[in-house]
Amino acid sequence: MSAAAALAAAVPAPEAAARHALPPPVIRRLGRVEYQPTWHAMQRFTAERGAATPDEIWLLEHPPVFTLGANASRAHLLAPGDIPVVQIDRGGQVTYHGPGQLVVYPLIDLKRLGLGIRDFVTALERAVIGLAATFGIAAQSRRSAPGVYVGGDKLASVGVRVRRQGSYHGLALNVALDLEPFSRINPCGYQGLTMTQLSMLGGPRSVWDCADALEPHLRRTLGL
């Protein structure tokens, strides 16, 4: 190798050097927390963060709640019964959160990581697909309908918001929960869509075991 080639190999590309200099992400395992205070905390974090603020990933469960995207049609909310309904500021239609579902909120400076919104959503989907593969589950994404699927059934939902180049909201991965509330809605706006979960497919039943296993996949696909 010539001296010039050796020097070039020793000097990292600007993008690689900038990424190497990023502060490490903060991983927070929040347990089971109410939906609305957590949503408002994400908004505050995004509004107050600066150029040097480390990214954060929040891993948690919610008590039962239906959430509607900013432009969601209430026609997809069929029979909520005693489960509260909250209209929020993410994209997408209606979904359900409840105990036994791993919810992941990546609070990421997308510009700093060089990610567009589509790239970000794809990274979240790829992390779940990689996790599922470790349990022998063949999962896929769909370009036309964000989320992760096993056959025709939906395993994980994705809905995000970006403000001031920072992301919030994120993904919901079904682990071992009561799927009945999904029958009270058209999940993600699709009539007749069937939901599935890891515990039905030979995967684990523990949300927190899944959180531990998903973290390295998230770091890899997001470039953290």
Side-chain angles (χ1 to χ4, degrees):
M1 180 184 293
S2 69
L7 178 62
V11 178
E15 295 85 356
R19 186 162 292 207
H20 181 71
L22 292 177
V26 176
I27 311 297
R28 301 193 187 277
R29 287 167 172 75
L30 301 182
R32 188 174 299 174
V33 291
E34 293 290 337
Y35 187 86
Q36 292 204 53
T38 309
W39 167 35
H40 296 319
M42 289 190 288
Q43 290 177 314
R44 285 194 302 273
F45 178 91
T46 303
E48 295 170 2
R49 69 178 304 164
T53 303
D55 293 322
E56 297 196 2
I57 298 176
W58 297 359
L59 304 164
L60 54 105
E61 292 177 288
H62 286 306
V65 63
F66 293 114
T67 65
L68 290 161
N71 298 309
S73 169
R74 296 188 75 88
H76 296 302
L77 190 65
L78 305 178
D82 58 352
I83 298 176
V85 178
V86 182
Q87 186 134 27
I88 55 173
D89 57 350
R90 62 160 171 79
Q93 293 289 331
V94 60
T95 195
Y96 168 73
H97 300 304
Q101 181 188 71
L102 174 61
V103 179
V104 182
Y105 292 141
L107 308 179
I108 305 294
D109 185 328
L110 296 183
K111 184 177 180 181
R112 190 167 64 189
L113 282 180
L115 292 174
I117 296 177
R118 181 65 248 182
D119 295 331
F120 175 56
V121 170
T122 297
L124 298 181
E125 293 169 337
R126 286 174 52 219
V128 174
I129 291 168
L131 173 70
T134 66
F135 304 123
I137 301 167
Q140 310 85 29
S141 60
R142 295 178 181 175
R143 184 76 181 182
S144 60
V148 177
Y149 301 81
V150 178
D153 300 339
K154 195 163 193 177
L155 176 65
S157 302
V158 178
V160 302
R161 175 69 188 265
V162 177
R163 181 179 294 168
R164 299 177 64 244
Q165 76 195 32
S167 68
Y168 60 106
H169 297 296
L171 72 89
L173 170 61
N174 298 333
V175 179
L177 71 161
D178 179 6
L179 296 177
E180 185 277 332
F182 285 106
S183 69
R184 307 186 195 186
I185 60 175
N186 291 327
C188 306
Y190 291 95
Q191 184 176 2
L193 177 63
T194 302
M195 306 298 287
T196 190
Q197 54 189 328
L198 290 175
S199 60
M200 294 171 58
L201 300 168
R205 298 190 59 84
S206 166
V207 166
W208 301 108
D209 286 349
C210 283
D212 291 341
L214 182 61
E215 182 184 331
H217 292 282
L218 286 168
R219 288 178 181 268
R220 174 179 54 82
T221 62
L222 291 170
L224 297 171

